[in-house]
Amino acid sequence: MKVLKGQDILALGFMTFALFVGAGNIIFPPIVGLQSGPHVWMAALGFLITAVGLPVITVVALAKVGGAMDSLSSPIGKVAGGLLAAVSYLAVGPLFATPRTATVSFEVGLAPLTGESPLALALYSTAYFLLVFFISLYPGRLLDTVGRFLAPLKIIALAVLGIAAFALPAGDIGQATPEYVAAPFSQGFINGYLTMDTLGALVFGIVIVNAIRSRGVESPQLITRYAVIAGLVAGVGLALVYVSLFRLGSGSHEVAVGATNGAAVLHAYVQHTFGSLGSGFLAVLISLACLVTAVGLTCACAEYFSRVLPLSYKTLVVILAGFSLVVSNLGLTKLIAFSIPVLTAIYPPCIVLVALSFCKDFWQDQRRIVGPVMLVSFIFGLIDAIKGTAFAGLIPSQLSHLPLSEQGLAWLVPSVIVLALAVVCDRLLGKPSEALA
């Protein structure tokens, strides 16, 4: 029976970590650290739950069912499961996340050096997606190209930044903003959503499993074990990166005065600490982080859609890379503005799906539980999404003040209520075979 060597397991863990750490993961923690002030570690706790805990749990859940999202969503039926999978893959793939990796890496890493212009973005994004295209063409080599080469480079760059954050703080911790004084944990919890790592985990599951299979491992038990180890390695790596970036942000009040986003905080700190080399270092770090994530997303989307569409994997890589290139040239502001409502709507049912997958042995019939709870979470997530758009006036005032609405968790209480009702009905109806008898 084929097994992975120790170095292959470590490379798999590095690859999984590298797939998750994109520009968003590097940008959001510094602004949370800056704004939370003396409450930084309480905010960090909330952030780590949604930005580390949920993605690792999702990787484990997917590993248990072979890596494919449609296997995880089987309790809600093929049509609904296929629709959810397609929306999730498109959202964290060519519509939002993949193009965003190019625009963020350009604006944070290179725009300070080259200046912002449509031509500069077009040239950069073309070169960027050509590289993504060529690496993504050979998914069987992903463990070698990413796990053994690109991931270590990214880890070294992040390690330098993380050590500097603790060894060379830019200053003392400043004052917290009002929202972090009032509820630091909740604010950190909400900001953890913005990394999109739970949705990313749903997409990356099949990439991780295929990377294991590319080494000749066929045993489902071993595949699950290696995927869990990879998820845990990635989780530890993510936590270390986030903690160092929280520390970086919390001590940057003096050098990042007036900063409104993590990119500005990060750039100010790096420039202050590394001097003239700062911008170049930041450009390399962000570009590496984004490139690896873009490759992982492109591979995952091509793998999925090659199974549901009459198109080959390589054809889909061409289409996805080309489409992402076009969308990336719309600019970061438009991309983020359009993506936030969509992500707000689809995140809750995905979280519910992953959470309930660990409880399937407690139900008589999963279909009675998972479908209704996911539907309710989606409806209330959709309400939250609409509240952040120009159509907010269409939402009745009663629905604008639901419990936990201010924390972005208006879907949680209704979902728990429906879960309780569904469990009672499930117990009363018994097993499907008994009910038919």
Side-chain angles (χ1 to χ4, degrees):
M1 185 169 57
K2 187 73 173 179
V3 297
L4 291 183
K5 298 177 182 178
Q7 61 184 18
D8 284 333
I9 296 175
L10 190 60
L12 180 70
F14 284 170
M15 184 198 81
T16 306
F17 167 75
L19 289 175
F20 278 118
V21 182
N25 307 77
I26 299 172
I27 288 170
F28 291 120
I31 194 66
V32 173
L34 183 78
Q35 295 178 345
S36 57
H39 306 288
V40 60
W41 299 119
M42 183 56 70
L45 179 61
F47 189 96
L48 291 174
I49 289 173
T50 48
V52 177
L54 284 176
V56 170
I57 290 171
T58 302
V59 169
V60 174
L62 280 166
K64 291 174 64 179
V65 296
M69 185 178 172
D70 49 2
S71 299
L72 193 67
S73 62
S74 60
I76 62 175
K78 287 187 177 180
V79 175
L83 184 61
L84 177 67
V87 170
S88 297
Y89 273 94
L90 289 172
V92 298
L95 289 181
F96 304 135
T98 307
R100 190 180 74 172
T101 63
T103 54
V104 168
S105 62
F106 171 76
E107 294 196 15
V108 176
L110 289 184
L113 304 176
T114 63
E116 293 191 31
S117 73
L119 178 60
L121 175 59
L123 292 173
Y124 173 79
S125 59
T126 299
Y128 180 92
F129 281 110
L130 277 174
L131 197 53
V132 169
F133 164 72
F134 283 118
I135 297 174
S136 301
L137 277 180
Y138 304 100
R141 301 177 189 173
L142 205 61
L143 194 57
D144 293 316
T145 56
V146 174
R148 296 184 186 278
F149 178 65
L150 292 176
L153 287 177
K154 179 193 281 193
I155 290 169
I156 291 169
L158 288 170
V160 171
L161 190 62
I163 293 170
F166 282 95
L168 303 168
D172 297 325
I173 294 176
Q175 297 296 313
T177 57
E179 59 268 25
Y180 279 98
V181 172
F185 179 85
S186 295
Q187 287 298 317
F189 191 90
I190 297 166
N191 274 277
Y193 282 143
L194 301 178
T195 64
M196 290 172 56
D197 277 347
T198 298
L199 293 181
L202 288 169
V203 171
F204 290 143
I206 193 67
V207 176
I208 297 165
V209 169
N210 284 343
I212 298 170
R213 287 176 176 153
S214 74
R215 287 294 189 267
V217 178
E218 295 296 336
S219 167
Q221 291 81 8
L222 283 177
I223 290 173
T224 300
R225 183 189 305 171
Y226 293 142
V228 169
I229 293 172
L232 292 174
V233 170
V236 171
L238 284 170
L240 291 173
V241 169
Y242 291 146
V243 167
S244 65
L245 291 176
F246 282 125
R247 179 67 186 91
L248 182 153
S250 66
S252 296
H253 282 261
E254 296 176 11
V255 298
V257 178
T260 57
N261 60 67
V265 178
L266 197 56
H267 184 74
Y269 174 83
V270 172
Q271 193 67 41
H272 171 269
T273 305
F274 297 99
S276 59
L277 295 176
S279 294
F281 173 78
L282 186 61
V284 172
L285 171 62
I286 295 295
S287 296
L288 271 175
C290 291
L291 179 66
V292 176
T293 302
V295 168
L297 290 170
T298 302
C299 289
C301 290
E303 288 275 1
Y304 174 75
F305 286 111
S306 67
R307 292 188 285 112
V308 298
L309 296 175
L311 295 171
S312 69
Y313 173 85
K314 291 188 176 181
T315 301
L316 283 163
V317 169
V318 174
I319 294 171
L320 290 168
F323 187 84
S324 298
L325 168 62
V326 173
V327 174
S328 68
N329 280 272
L330 294 175
L332 183 59
T333 302
K334 289 182 180 178
L335 271 177
I336 292 176
F338 187 63
S339 66
I340 288 175
V342 178
L343 297 174
T344 302
I346 66 175
Y347 228 100
C350 289
I351 293 174
V352 168
L353 176 64
V354 171
L356 294 184
S357 72
F358 289 95
C359 308
K360 61 182 181 180
D361 294 334
F362 293 98
W363 328 126
Q364 305 288 347
D365 187 349
Q366 285 190 82
R367 292 170 295 180
R368 300 169 185 160
I369 307 293
V370 179
V373 181
M374 284 184 67
L375 178 61
V376 169
S377 68
F378 172 70
I379 291 171
F380 284 90
L382 190 60
I383 292 171
D384 269 345
I386 295 173
K387 285 193 298 186
T389 68
F391 302 101
L394 300 176
I395 302 296
S397 58
Q398 297 90 336
L399 294 178
S400 298
H401 301 92
L402 293 168
L404 302 179
S405 181
E406 293 299 319
Q407 285 76 31
L409 296 171
W411 58 272
L412 187 57
V413 173
S415 298
V416 171
I417 292 172
V418 171
L419 173 61
L421 293 174
V423 169
V424 172
C425 292
D426 180 61
R427 293 295 182 189
L428 291 175
L429 292 172
K431 293 184 178 180
S433 58
E434 295 174 351
L436 290 174

